[in-house]
Tab-separated table of all heavy atoms in Angstrom:
chain	number	residue	atom	x	y	z
B	292	PRO	N	112.848	85.123	66.754
B	292	PRO	CA	113.166	86.028	65.767
B	292	PRO	C	114.607	86.548	65.885
B	292	PRO	O	115.195	86.487	66.975
B	292	PRO	CB	112.237	87.238	66.012
B	292	PRO	CG	111.968	87.134	67.483
B	292	PRO	CD	112.049	85.604	67.854
B	293	PRO	N	115.306	86.861	64.772
B	293	PRO	CA	116.620	87.349	64.869
B	293	PRO	C	116.729	88.681	65.717
B	293	PRO	O	117.621	88.953	66.407
B	293	PRO	CB	117.051	87.687	63.424
B	293	PRO	CG	115.763	87.700	62.631
B	293	PRO	CD	114.875	86.835	63.372
B	294	VAL	N	115.577	89.437	65.580
B	294	VAL	CA	115.423	90.515	66.378
B	294	VAL	C	113.927	90.920	66.530
B	294	VAL	O	113.161	90.600	65.515
B	294	VAL	CB	116.289	91.743	65.896
B	294	VAL	CG1	115.730	92.164	64.499
B	294	VAL	CG2	116.103	92.986	66.726
B	295	ASP	N	113.432	91.177	67.709
B	295	ASP	CA	112.002	91.465	67.916
B	295	ASP	C	111.842	92.992	67.616
B	295	ASP	O	111.990	93.802	68.463
B	295	ASP	CB	111.609	91.044	69.381
B	295	ASP	CG	110.220	91.461	69.637
B	295	ASP	OD1	109.403	91.566	68.643
B	295	ASP	OD2	109.852	91.494	70.819
B	296	LEU	N	111.450	93.261	66.405
B	296	LEU	CA	111.339	94.619	65.992
B	296	LEU	C	109.938	94.895	65.580
B	296	LEU	O	109.170	94.103	64.949
B	296	LEU	CB	112.234	94.797	64.731
B	296	LEU	CG	112.142	96.086	63.990
B	296	LEU	CD1	112.637	97.330	64.866
B	296	LEU	CD2	113.086	96.119	62.693
B	297	GLY	N	109.440	96.165	65.965
B	297	GLY	CA	108.150	96.554	65.534
B	297	GLY	C	108.200	98.007	65.289
B	297	GLY	O	108.799	98.760	66.089
B	298	PHE	N	107.651	98.644	64.159
B	298	PHE	CA	107.702	100.018	63.967
B	298	PHE	C	106.397	100.399	63.155
B	298	PHE	O	105.896	99.469	62.372
B	298	PHE	CB	108.976	100.423	63.156
B	298	PHE	CG	109.088	99.830	61.943
B	298	PHE	CD1	108.604	100.349	60.724
B	298	PHE	CD2	109.847	98.640	61.745
B	298	PHE	CE1	108.733	99.699	59.502
B	298	PHE	CE2	109.969	97.929	60.631
B	298	PHE	CZ	109.488	98.557	59.422
B	299	GLY	N	106.022	101.584	63.366
B	299	GLY	CA	104.825	102.066	62.640
B	299	GLY	C	104.532	103.494	62.840
B	299	GLY	O	105.292	104.250	63.415
B	300	ILE	N	103.359	103.863	62.401
B	300	ILE	CA	102.907	105.235	62.608
B	300	ILE	C	101.410	105.206	62.819
B	300	ILE	O	100.663	104.413	62.324
B	300	ILE	CB	103.210	106.104	61.337
B	300	ILE	CG1	102.967	107.527	61.668
B	300	ILE	CG2	102.514	105.622	60.029
B	300	ILE	CD1	103.617	108.466	60.713
B	301	ALA	N	100.984	106.116	63.789
B	301	ALA	CA	99.634	106.212	64.173
B	301	ALA	C	99.220	107.634	63.973
B	301	ALA	O	100.000	108.544	64.123
B	301	ALA	CB	99.381	105.728	65.600
B	302	ALA	N	97.957	107.844	63.627
B	302	ALA	CA	97.463	109.184	63.532
B	302	ALA	C	96.009	109.204	63.793
B	302	ALA	O	95.163	108.320	63.707
B	302	ALA	CB	97.775	109.698	62.065
B	303	SER	N	95.542	110.507	64.153
B	303	SER	CA	94.180	110.741	64.359
B	303	SER	C	93.769	112.098	63.873
B	303	SER	O	94.583	113.030	63.786
B	303	SER	CB	93.761	110.518	65.820
B	303	SER	OG	94.132	111.668	66.583
B	304	THR	N	92.533	112.270	63.408
B	304	THR	CA	91.972	113.571	63.047
B	304	THR	C	90.529	113.573	63.409
B	304	THR	O	89.757	112.665	63.277
B	304	THR	CB	92.290	113.776	61.488
B	304	THR	OG1	91.780	115.075	61.146
B	304	THR	CG2	91.558	112.736	60.618
B	305	GLY	N	90.118	114.743	63.697
B	305	GLY	CA	88.715	115.032	64.038
B	305	GLY	C	88.381	116.465	64.448
B	305	GLY	O	89.440	117.189	64.626
B	306	ASP	N	87.175	116.720	64.589
B	306	ASP	CA	86.831	118.092	65.050
B	306	ASP	C	86.343	117.903	66.542
B	306	ASP	O	85.631	117.027	66.917
B	306	ASP	CB	85.658	118.629	64.246
B	306	ASP	CG	86.182	119.017	62.815
B	306	ASP	OD1	87.314	119.465	62.750
B	306	ASP	OD2	85.434	118.926	61.897
B	307	GLU	N	86.767	118.994	67.353
B	307	GLU	CA	86.266	118.945	68.742
B	307	GLU	C	85.863	120.385	69.029
B	307	GLU	O	86.632	121.396	68.721
B	307	GLU	CB	87.378	118.602	69.653
B	307	GLU	CG	86.986	118.357	71.016
B	307	GLU	CD	86.053	117.115	71.238
B	307	GLU	OE1	84.797	117.353	71.119
B	307	GLU	OE2	86.533	115.994	71.375
B	308	LEU	N	84.681	120.554	69.567
B	308	LEU	CA	84.175	121.875	69.996
B	308	LEU	C	83.862	121.776	71.439
B	308	LEU	O	83.058	121.014	71.952
B	308	LEU	CB	82.907	122.196	69.104
B	308	LEU	CG	83.150	122.419	67.740
B	308	LEU	CD1	81.818	122.636	66.966
B	308	LEU	CD2	84.077	123.594	67.476
B	309	GLY	N	84.569	122.550	72.285
B	309	GLY	CA	84.239	122.578	73.746
B	309	GLY	C	83.307	123.764	74.022
B	309	GLY	O	82.808	124.461	73.121
B	310	ASN	N	83.034	123.851	75.256
B	310	ASN	CA	82.153	125.008	75.669
B	310	ASN	C	82.777	125.420	77.036
B	310	ASN	O	83.622	124.841	77.597
B	310	ASN	CB	80.754	124.661	75.859
B	310	ASN	CG	80.418	123.459	76.645
B	310	ASN	OD1	80.904	123.324	77.809
B	310	ASN	ND2	79.901	122.439	76.059
B	311	ILE	N	82.140	126.443	77.512
B	311	ILE	CA	82.788	127.045	78.728
B	311	ILE	C	82.625	126.168	80.019
B	311	ILE	O	83.374	126.288	80.943
B	311	ILE	CB	82.200	128.459	79.055
B	311	ILE	CG1	80.697	128.413	79.103
B	311	ILE	CG2	82.718	129.503	78.084
B	311	ILE	CD1	80.099	129.739	79.641
B	312	THR	N	81.701	125.199	79.942
B	312	THR	CA	81.643	124.255	81.082
B	312	THR	C	82.476	123.002	80.865
B	312	THR	O	83.110	122.509	81.695
B	312	THR	CB	80.182	123.918	81.407
B	312	THR	OG1	79.651	123.428	80.281
B	312	THR	CG2	79.409	125.095	81.984
B	313	THR	N	82.419	122.592	79.602
B	313	THR	CA	83.293	121.405	79.231
B	313	THR	C	84.211	121.796	78.092
B	313	THR	O	83.778	121.911	76.929
B	313	THR	CB	82.416	120.280	78.835
B	313	THR	OG1	81.526	120.003	79.809
B	313	THR	CG2	83.306	119.019	78.621
B	314	THR	N	85.413	122.185	78.413
B	314	THR	CA	86.252	122.871	77.463
B	314	THR	C	86.794	121.944	76.393
B	314	THR	O	87.246	122.338	75.343
B	314	THR	CB	87.457	123.489	78.139
B	314	THR	OG1	88.323	122.427	78.720
B	314	THR	CG2	87.072	124.419	79.209
B	315	ALA	N	86.760	120.612	76.650
B	315	ALA	CA	87.316	119.593	75.739
B	315	ALA	C	88.799	119.753	75.432
B	315	ALA	O	89.238	119.455	74.389
B	315	ALA	CB	86.482	119.512	74.440
B	316	LEU	N	89.443	120.384	76.432
B	316	LEU	CA	90.864	120.478	76.442
B	316	LEU	C	91.523	119.815	77.594
B	316	LEU	O	90.948	119.639	78.632
B	316	LEU	CB	91.215	122.020	76.381
B	316	LEU	CG	90.895	122.726	75.095
B	316	LEU	CD1	91.091	124.159	75.329
B	316	LEU	CD2	91.705	122.246	73.948
B	317	PRO	N	92.753	119.298	77.354
B	317	PRO	CA	93.475	118.535	78.438
B	317	PRO	C	94.295	119.441	79.365
B	317	PRO	O	94.560	120.672	79.051
B	317	PRO	CB	94.340	117.558	77.620
B	317	PRO	CG	94.743	118.425	76.490
B	317	PRO	CD	93.490	119.295	76.129
B	318	SER	N	94.696	118.903	80.431
B	318	SER	CA	95.846	119.427	81.319
B	318	SER	C	96.877	118.468	81.001
B	318	SER	O	96.636	117.153	80.750
B	318	SER	CB	95.436	119.523	82.717
B	318	SER	OG	94.385	120.492	82.884
B	319	TYR	N	98.096	118.785	81.234
B	319	TYR	CA	99.259	117.969	81.008
B	319	TYR	C	100.025	117.779	82.320
B	319	TYR	O	100.021	118.703	83.157
B	319	TYR	CB	100.148	118.463	79.972
B	319	TYR	CG	99.530	118.517	78.525
B	319	TYR	CD1	99.006	119.736	78.061
B	319	TYR	CD2	99.255	117.315	77.889
B	319	TYR	CE1	98.338	119.722	76.775
B	319	TYR	CE2	98.557	117.316	76.649
B	319	TYR	CZ	98.082	118.393	76.111
B	319	TYR	OH	97.414	118.519	74.907
B	320	ARG	N	100.724	116.652	82.481
B	320	ARG	CA	101.321	116.271	83.760
B	320	ARG	C	102.881	116.081	83.622
B	320	ARG	O	103.360	115.872	82.495
B	320	ARG	CB	100.794	114.979	84.266
B	320	ARG	CG	99.364	114.938	84.619
B	320	ARG	CD	98.860	113.609	85.141
B	320	ARG	NE	97.461	113.461	85.199
B	320	ARG	CZ	96.860	112.375	85.096
B	320	ARG	NH1	97.537	111.236	84.937
B	320	ARG	NH2	95.519	112.293	85.203
B	321	SER	N	103.488	116.132	84.744
B	321	SER	CA	104.831	115.757	84.868
B	321	SER	C	104.968	114.221	85.060
B	321	SER	O	103.902	113.702	85.394
B	321	SER	CB	105.536	116.539	86.031
B	321	SER	OG	105.034	116.028	87.224
B	322	PRO	N	106.158	113.742	84.857
B	322	PRO	CA	106.232	112.318	85.212
B	322	PRO	C	105.830	111.919	86.646
B	322	PRO	O	105.348	110.824	86.814
B	322	PRO	CB	107.700	111.993	84.991
B	322	PRO	CG	108.170	113.067	84.004
B	322	PRO	CD	107.434	114.315	84.377
B	323	GLY	N	105.902	112.945	87.514
B	323	GLY	CA	105.451	112.738	88.972
B	323	GLY	C	103.974	112.947	89.084
B	323	GLY	O	103.553	112.990	90.281
B	324	GLN	N	103.329	113.102	88.038
B	324	GLN	CA	101.839	113.274	88.004
B	324	GLN	C	101.325	114.627	88.540
B	324	GLN	O	100.175	114.745	88.925
B	324	GLN	CB	101.245	112.095	88.772
B	324	GLN	CG	101.465	110.740	88.273
B	324	GLN	CD	101.160	110.551	86.797
B	324	GLN	OE1	99.917	110.553	86.460
B	324	GLN	NE2	102.162	110.569	85.965
B	325	ALA	N	102.266	115.537	88.555
B	325	ALA	CA	101.846	117.014	88.915
B	325	ALA	C	101.373	117.639	87.628
B	325	ALA	O	101.913	117.447	86.541
B	325	ALA	CB	103.004	117.745	89.487
B	326	THR	N	100.320	118.401	87.732
B	326	THR	CA	99.764	119.217	86.605
B	326	THR	C	100.746	120.361	86.359
B	326	THR	O	101.000	121.161	87.197
B	326	THR	CB	98.309	119.651	86.836
B	326	THR	OG1	97.542	118.542	87.132
B	326	THR	CG2	97.812	120.435	85.689
B	327	VAL	N	101.312	120.308	85.136
B	327	VAL	CA	102.284	121.364	84.810
B	327	VAL	C	101.835	122.252	83.677
B	327	VAL	O	102.518	123.232	83.408
B	327	VAL	CB	103.616	120.788	84.483
B	327	VAL	CG1	104.238	120.063	85.635
B	327	VAL	CG2	103.512	119.803	83.296
B	328	PHE	N	100.731	121.947	83.010
B	328	PHE	CA	100.302	122.786	81.995
B	328	PHE	C	98.727	122.684	81.896
B	328	PHE	O	98.217	121.555	81.887
B	328	PHE	CB	100.823	122.469	80.535
B	328	PHE	CG	100.247	123.250	79.473
B	328	PHE	CD1	101.072	124.307	78.881
B	328	PHE	CD2	98.957	123.002	78.861
B	328	PHE	CE1	100.492	125.050	77.771
B	328	PHE	CE2	98.540	123.748	77.882
B	328	PHE	CZ	99.310	124.867	77.353
B	329	ARG	N	98.035	123.885	81.998
B	329	ARG	CA	96.594	123.829	81.874
B	329	ARG	C	96.243	125.086	81.077
B	329	ARG	O	96.898	126.203	81.187
B	329	ARG	CB	95.921	123.783	83.180
B	329	ARG	CG	96.147	124.890	84.159
B	329	ARG	CD	95.047	124.940	85.227
B	329	ARG	NE	94.901	123.732	85.932
B	329	ARG	CZ	95.594	123.410	87.118
B	329	ARG	NH1	96.354	124.293	87.651
B	329	ARG	NH2	95.356	122.309	87.654
B	330	TYR	N	95.209	124.938	80.233
B	330	TYR	CA	94.615	126.136	79.571
B	330	TYR	C	93.949	127.049	80.551
B	330	TYR	O	93.432	126.599	81.563
B	330	TYR	CB	93.665	125.696	78.455
B	330	TYR	CG	94.393	125.019	77.321
B	330	TYR	CD1	94.478	123.620	77.295
B	330	TYR	CD2	95.077	125.706	76.358
B	330	TYR	CE1	95.181	122.987	76.197
B	330	TYR	CE2	95.826	125.094	75.307
B	330	TYR	CZ	95.799	123.658	75.275
B	330	TYR	OH	96.489	123.051	74.293
B	331	LEU	N	93.926	128.271	80.144
B	331	LEU	CA	93.262	129.308	81.025
B	331	LEU	C	91.735	129.075	81.159
B	331	LEU	O	91.049	128.678	80.214
B	331	LEU	CB	93.501	130.730	80.452
B	331	LEU	CG	94.897	131.242	80.582
B	331	LEU	CD1	94.964	132.568	79.722
B	331	LEU	CD2	95.290	131.482	82.004
B	332	THR	N	91.315	129.222	82.330
B	332	THR	CA	89.774	129.125	82.686
B	332	THR	C	89.492	130.260	83.428
B	332	THR	O	90.287	130.996	84.064
B	332	THR	CB	89.486	127.801	83.352
B	332	THR	OG1	90.190	127.843	84.614
B	332	THR	CG2	89.706	126.552	82.605
Side-chain angles (χ1 to χ4, degrees):
Chain B
V294 60
D295 177 19
L296 172 66
F298 59 90
I300 187 163
S303 75
T304 181
D306 288 327
E307 192 65 272
L308 294 174
N310 56 55
I311 53 174
T312 52
T313 308
T314 64
L316 289 173
S318 296
Y319 296 105
R320 295 180 194 155
S321 69
Q324 302 302 293
T326 301
V327 295
F328 179 99
R329 61 161 56 92
Y330 289 98
L331 289 172
T332 57

